[in-house]
Amino acid sequence: HHLVYQDEIPSTQKKAQHLAEDGAEEGTVVLADEQTSGRGRLGRSWHSPKGTGIWMSLIIRPDIPIHKAPQFTLLTAVAVVKAVKHVTGLDCEIKWPNDILYKGKKFVGILTELQAEAADVKAIIVGIGINVNAAIDDFPEELKDIATSLRAEAGTAFDRAELIQEILKAFEDLYKSYMDEGFGLIKLLWESYAISLGRQIYARTANGTVVQGLAQGINDEGVLLLKDKDGKIHKIYSADIEI
Ligand code: BTN
C-alpha cells in the first residue's frame, strides 16, 4: 500500500480523486486527522472533526465494466461491518446502499466515486467516514438525534489505527473473493447485515421521485429491488431510503 497522511486536509476524497487522475496505484490510501470540507453523498457535507474519526479514501482499479461499480459500495460496507465487529464487538447494520447504523443511528458513511473510460472502470475512489471517539455532545445540533459514534455506543474509546488496519484487511479479503469467485459471497453477507430487506420502504431518488415498495433484496449488480403495490419491480440505483 501507498499511504498518504495529512493532519488536516479539505477532503481525502478530493485528494484521492486527483491522485487517481495522476495515475496513483491501486491500494493507495489517503488518510487525514481532520477534514475541513468533508463531502457526503448527494452533495452534502460530512462533519469531520479533528482527532476523533477515521476519514479515509482508498483508490482501487478493478478490471470491471462500470455497471458493476455499485458492487464495491456494498463490498466496502461489508468490510466495515466485519472490522467494527472484530475491534469493538458491536453488531451493526447496513442501510442500503452505504450507511452503517448502530441501533438505528448512523456512524459510518461510505461514498464511492468512479473514474471511467468508455464503459470500463479506470479507478474507484472509496471514501469511508467513521465516527469513532467523538462525544455526541460535540456533534452539531442537527446530528445529535440521528448520528452516533463507536465510543458513545460502547462506552469506551477505540484505537483508530487498529480499526483502519482491520478495515483494509477485510476489504482486501473480500476484494480477492470478488475477483476469484464473483459477487456471490459479498451479496450474501451484505443481505445478512441489511436492515431494510423484507420491509416497506420509501426510496427518494435524486430527481425527487419517490417509489414506495417492499425491499426485496439486491441484484447481482448491487442494485436495490423494490416491489410496488402493483407487483412491479423497480431497480433503484441511487436514492435515500426511508423506512
Ligand atoms: C455519506 O454521505 O454518508 C458519505 C460520507 C463519506 C465521508 C467520507 S470521509 C472520507 C472521505 N472524504 C470525504 O470528503 N468524504 C469521504
Side-chain angles (χ1 to χ4, degrees):
H1 294 292
H2 181 61
L3 178 72
V4 178
Y5 171 79
Q6 290 189 10
D7 284 336
E8 189 194 297
I9 199 170
S11 159
T12 60
Q13 196 74 2
K14 268 186 77 182
K15 175 83 181 177
Q17 288 276 11
H18 290 144
L19 291 172
E21 275 161 20
D22 293 346
E25 62 175 359
E26 169 159 276
T28 300
V29 176
V30 182
L31 188 64
D33 196 39
E34 176 181 13
Q35 294 185 121
T36 51
S37 42
R39 298 193 295 145
R41 281 175 73 224
L42 308 171
R44 298 185 186 120
S45 65
W46 180 261
H47 178 62
S48 321
K50 182 177 172 58
T52 58
I54 292 172
W55 325 126
M56 77 171 169
S57 299
L58 172 64
I59 299 172
I60 52 170
R61 297 188 181 279
D63 189 8
I64 56 168
I66 45 179
H67 70 90
K68 291 192 168 178
Q71 294 173 330
F72 276 84
T73 304
L74 308 188
L75 186 156
T76 306
V78 170
V80 174
V81 170
K82 278 174 164 259
V84 166
K85 171 75 179 174
H86 185 95
V87 173
T88 70
L90 297 179
D91 286 302
C92 43
E93 303 169 316
I94 303 174
K95 186 175 149 197
W96 184 90
N98 63 352
D99 292 350
I100 300 180
L101 318 182
Y102 185 77
K103 294 193 176 154
K105 290 184 171 179
K106 175 167 168 176
F107 71 98
V108 179
I110 295 167
L111 178 68
T112 36
E113 294 176 307
L114 205 57
Q115 291 178 2
E117 215 168 63
D120 295 320
V121 166
K122 275 199 72 184
I124 299 177
I125 320 298
V126 181
I128 304 172
I130 309 181
N131 301 329
V132 182
N133 293 325
I136 307 281
D137 282 348
D138 298 335
F139 281 164
E141 213 47 53
E142 69 274 15
L143 293 181
K144 280 183 179 159
D145 291 334
I146 55 170
T148 191
S149 75
L150 288 171
R151 193 183 102 194
E153 297 304 330
T156 167
F158 295 100
D159 181 3
R160 287 178 293 163
E162 188 190 349
L163 191 50
I164 290 166
Q165 247 171 35
E166 287 302 323
I167 291 168
L168 293 176
K169 213 156 76 186
F171 189 95
E172 209 170 316
D173 284 351
L174 292 167
Y175 191 2
K176 277 210 185 87
S177 144
Y178 178 85
M179 283 310 183
D180 295 347
E181 291 148 54
F183 190 52
L185 172 68
I186 293 150
K187 181 172 187 265
L188 236 122
L189 288 169
W190 189 90
E191 288 184 333
S192 77
Y193 298 140
I195 33 174
S196 35
L197 299 188
R199 290 161 72 171
Q200 283 291 330
I201 64 172
Y202 298 86
R204 188 182 307 275
T205 60
N207 65 18
T209 316
V210 178
V211 184
Q212 183 187 2
L214 188 73
Q216 297 228 294
I218 49 173
N219 71 7
D220 287 338
E221 291 175 8
V223 168
L224 181 67
L225 303 173
L226 269 195
K227 187 176 176 180
D228 70 18
K229 60 179 188 336
D230 303 322
K232 181 171 179 237
I233 306 284
H234 298 256
K235 281 185 172 184
I236 309 293
Y237 288 89
S238 171
D240 268 340
I241 301 300
E242 283 163 42
I243 301 170

